[in-house]
Amino acid sequence: MRSSQVAILLTGHSDYSQMSIDLSQPLDLCEFSVTVEVRLREGIADPEGLTIQQALPALGFEGVSNVRVGKALRFVVTAHDENAARQQAQAMCERFLINPVIEDAVVHIVALGDCK
Amino acid sequence: MTTKVGVIVFPGSNCEQDVVEALETVGATAKLLWHKDTDLGDVDAVVLPGGFAHGDYLRTGAMARFSPIMDLVAKFAYQGGAVVGICNGFQILTEAKLLPGALYKNKGLKFLCQPSSLRVASSNSVLTGHLAEGTYLRIPINHFEGNYLCSPQTLHELQENNSIVLTYVDNPNGSVADIAGICNKSGNVVGLMPHPERAAHWLLGSTDGARLLKGLLSCG
């Protein structure tokens, strides 16, 4: 939900024609769904991935290689635009979400609602 | 003068009382510090004990490095104070970048709880300054993430600076260069995966851990 819509609901205003907010224009803040895919860096042995890979043929899944196990973090960032949301997510990765000695990350961003 | 050691308790630490007991056994005095404390007091050395600080959420040590006391620990370390991280404490020190590298899942994907044979690879640390290089010690390990990893350049620097403190005789977890413990260049910050506090009395099967901890007595 966009911040201006929240404001309208909170005021309980029933006559939208009296409102000065133009909903056709981009709003200041938008919500973005962020998925950070944390991966083991290339070249770092992944015993968990290897164990899964070795189990797959026994279950009838042939031809699978390069199994790597990582983790995903999902959260919502409120920002002015997608670029700002991405910068914030990347800063979070560098400071906290990944350990660059062993991991790297791919950030996926989807705007929620009609955000641009 | 008696050495005073501060043992830091994070939410989820579980070896702090054993460390206090072992330190007192070797003749130091020890006090517990809470991770939100804003003063280390008049301690001569700091120990980060083992356990699961902050539940090991996100990564081992990743949350703990942001505990308020870690700023004081970093300052203390930069001023030359002795800082020792045992097991989870070692993981916290790497996350806090007080020591290089990282600790990752054991190669065999098994939680390892067993005695380990260690070799003192350097006398250049506050824990091993009184032990000859080549001394063998038998001290238990107890970890899932003890597989030490670092870049080739970091490994080279560790070797050049004589900063590899302890090595495994039979590498149990896949650590690069059999590393069980390292120190910073000046030797005052040490991290090790084995638990010296669990080998501090003959009833525990070994007193080699007490031999290591005696190194801290020189800090008093």
Side-chain angles (χ1 to χ4, degrees), chain B residues 4 52 209:
Chain B
K4 297 191 199 85
F52 301 85

Side-chain angles (χ1 to χ4, degrees), chain B residues 155-217:
Chain B
L155 180 62
H156 181 72
E157 285 169 12
L158 288 171
Q159 289 164 335
E160 285 289 300
N161 297 331
N162 208 15
S163 292
I164 298 174
V165 177
L166 294 168
T167 54
Y168 298 109
V169 175
D170 294 308
N171 190 337
N173 55 24
S175 289
V176 65
D178 302 328
I179 285 173
I182 58 169
C183 64
N184 63 348
K185 195 174 178 181
S186 46
N188 63 309
V189 180
V190 187
L192 70 163
M193 288 313 296
H195 286 264
E197 78 279 10
R198 297 189 190 182
H201 193 283
W202 63 269
L203 280 173
L204 299 173
S206 169
T207 55
D208 287 349
R211 289 175 72 192
L212 262 188
L213 293 173
K214 274 180 188 164
L216 290 178
L217 299 180

Side-chain angles (χ1 to χ4, degrees), chain A residues 71-102:
Chain A
K71 61 188 164 194
L73 295 93
R74 259 185 229 117
F75 47 88
V76 173
V77 167
T78 304
H80 287 287
D81 55 36
E82 183 175 326
N83 196 35
R86 183 175 298 279
Q87 281 181 6
Q88 194 179 345
Q90 281 170 345
M92 288 161 65
C93 286
E94 285 167 25
R95 181 96 200 280
F96 183 40
L97 299 183
I98 69 160
N99 181 339
V101 177
I102 51 174

Side-chain angles (χ1 to χ4, degrees), chain B residues 40-90:
Chain B
L40 294 180
D42 58 347
V43 298
D44 305 303
V46 170
V47 174
L48 284 71
F52 301 85
H54 296 273
D56 274 355
Y57 292 157
L58 189 62
R59 293 179 306 279
T60 56
M63 312 286 291
R65 68 161 289 210
F66 291 111
S67 275
I69 204 166
M70 288 307 293
D71 285 340
L72 302 176
V73 172
K75 194 175 167 195
F76 184 72
Y78 287 127
Q79 289 169 345
V83 176
V84 176
I86 299 167
C87 196
N88 193 222
F90 183 12

